[in-house]
């Protein structure tokens, strides 16, 4: 019997596509903005095409906005405003382009407010659906990094954690969205990271297990090459656990 192991990315992409198609079908049934005059097939093709295409544009913009702020309403409003111009062009192509009409400023400016309203409603629903899905269940899906993440700025709170490096009375936190210096003791950080998948490699370093690309040991000392080109030292006293994990 065949079985398929879909990656989280594939499941998310399928969920996104299903969500946008569902919204497009609802809009087609409602027949808003003059679409009711078309045949059911034309109405469905028009709305599903506009919503799926607009959704791809919105997701791309949202990924950039998400790196700047975690605020729910700021993200919804900013994405809706920024996606309105390209989605307006898409709507024109779906509505007029098929009959060879000329693209002018007038027929782009006329529907912009209607397009913005639909973009805002769609992105609001999108954010509500995925924000709800991303809330961890207290019993089964607790993020082991959550306590430590609260020390970071909003910009890097959801970034992928690569390593934590002690610098005097500070910690330099390395993520896939850059590094950040925070005020904290290394011992407190290790306590908060105790249940996370990672290793203390040195008296002043902790690295995430999934951030390690390679490990090598030379003349009594080692080093771990991490994602993004970062190199973390491995002391003799901390090498045993990394060796036990099969890295060398």
């Amino acid at each position: 019997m065949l079985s398929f192991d879909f990656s989280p990315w594939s499941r998310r992409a399928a969920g996104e596509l299903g969500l946008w198609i569902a919204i497009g079908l609802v809009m087609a049934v409602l027949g808003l903005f003059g679409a009711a005059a078309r045949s059911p097939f034309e109405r469905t093709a028009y709305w599903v095409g506009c919503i799926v295409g607009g959704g791809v544009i919105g997701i791309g913009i949202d990924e950039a906005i998400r790196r700047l702020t975690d605020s729910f309403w700021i993200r919804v409003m900013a994405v809706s405003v920024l996606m309105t111009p390209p989605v307006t062009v898409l709507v024109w192509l779906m509505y007029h382009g098929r009959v060879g009409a000329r693209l002018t400023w007038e027929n782009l400016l006329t529907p912009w407010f209607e397009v913005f309203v639909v973009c805002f409603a769609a992105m609001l629903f999108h954010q509500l659906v995925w924000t709800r899905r991303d809330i961890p269940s207290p019993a089964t899906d607790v993020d082991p990094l959550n306590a430590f993440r609260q020390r970071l700025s909003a910009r890097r709170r959801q970034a992928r954690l690569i390593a934590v490096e002690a610098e005097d009375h500070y910690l330099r936190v390395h993520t896939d969205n850059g590094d950040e210096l925070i005020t904290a003791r290394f011992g407190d950080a290790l306590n908060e990271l105790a249940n996370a998948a990672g290793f203390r490699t040195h008296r002043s370093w902790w690295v995430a297990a999934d951030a390690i690309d390679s490990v090598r040991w030379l003349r009594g000392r080692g080093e771990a090459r991490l994602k993004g080109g970062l190199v973390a030292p491995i002391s003799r006293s901390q090498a045993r656990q990394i060796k036990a994990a099969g890295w060398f």
Side-chain angles (χ1 to χ4, degrees):
M1 183 175 179
L2 293 176
S3 63
F4 299 93
D5 184 17
F6 294 102
S7 68
W9 185 92
S10 299
R11 291 195 296 270
R12 178 64 182 252
E16 292 280 11
L17 180 60
L19 175 64
W20 296 119
I21 290 176
I23 295 175
L25 291 174
V26 170
M27 299 297 283
V29 170
L30 294 177
L32 300 178
F33 306 126
R38 297 185 172 198
S39 69
F41 175 79
E42 287 182 315
R43 201 161 62 230
T44 301
Y46 169 74
W47 273 113
V48 171
C50 287
I51 294 298
V52 171
V56 172
I57 294 171
I59 291 170
I61 295 174
D62 184 57
E63 283 299 307
I65 297 296
R66 183 175 61 85
R67 295 179 179 275
L68 302 177
T69 177
D70 284 336
S71 171
F72 180 91
W73 288 107
I74 292 178
R75 279 177 63 184
V76 171
M77 181 57 71
V79 173
S80 301
V81 169
L82 293 174
M83 70 186 288
T84 294
V87 174
T88 301
V89 174
L90 173 64
V91 168
W92 181 89
L93 291 172
M94 295 291 295
Y95 197 85
H96 297 289
R98 63 187 180 86
V99 296
R102 291 182 58 207
L103 178 62
T104 65
W105 283 110
E106 182 180 356
N107 54 33
L108 282 180
L109 292 175
T110 299
W112 76 267
F113 183 71
E114 294 175 351
V115 173
F116 169 76
V117 170
V118 174
C119 287
F120 180 82
M123 292 309 299
L124 176 61
F125 184 65
H126 172 267
Q127 295 288 49
L128 287 172
V129 168
W130 287 109
T131 298
R132 185 177 182 84
R133 284 177 62 92
D134 291 342
I135 296 175
S137 164
T140 61
D141 196 24
V142 176
D143 181 2
L145 295 172
N146 186 60
F148 183 77
R149 288 188 187 280
Q150 300 310 308
R151 296 180 179 272
L152 303 177
S153 64
R155 180 180 178 184
R156 297 187 177 88
R157 197 164 293 158
Q158 298 303 319
R160 179 184 180 184
L161 186 61
I162 294 176
V164 179
E165 177 186 4
E167 294 185 3
D168 296 326
H169 300 295
Y170 301 93
L171 298 179
R172 185 170 298 279
V173 182
H174 301 273
T175 76
D176 64 353
N177 193 23
D179 60 83
E180 181 172 317
L181 200 63
I182 63 174
T183 304
R185 295 187 304 176
F186 190 54
D188 292 338
L190 291 177
N191 289 335
E192 293 174 359
L193 296 168
N195 294 321
F199 307 99
R200 182 178 183 179
T201 65
H202 188 267
R203 61 184 177 85
S204 59
W205 279 82
W206 179 94
V207 302
D210 63 0
I212 301 175
D213 276 338
S214 63
V215 171
R216 66 175 184 173
W217 187 264
L218 296 171
R219 298 179 182 178
R221 64 181 181 85
E223 61 181 27
R225 294 192 173 274
L226 311 179
K227 304 294 183 184
L230 191 66
V231 178
I234 302 175
S235 65
R236 185 182 296 275
S237 60
Q238 300 298 332
R240 183 178 299 175
Q241 59 176 335
I242 302 173
K243 185 176 182 179
W247 279 104
F248 61 86

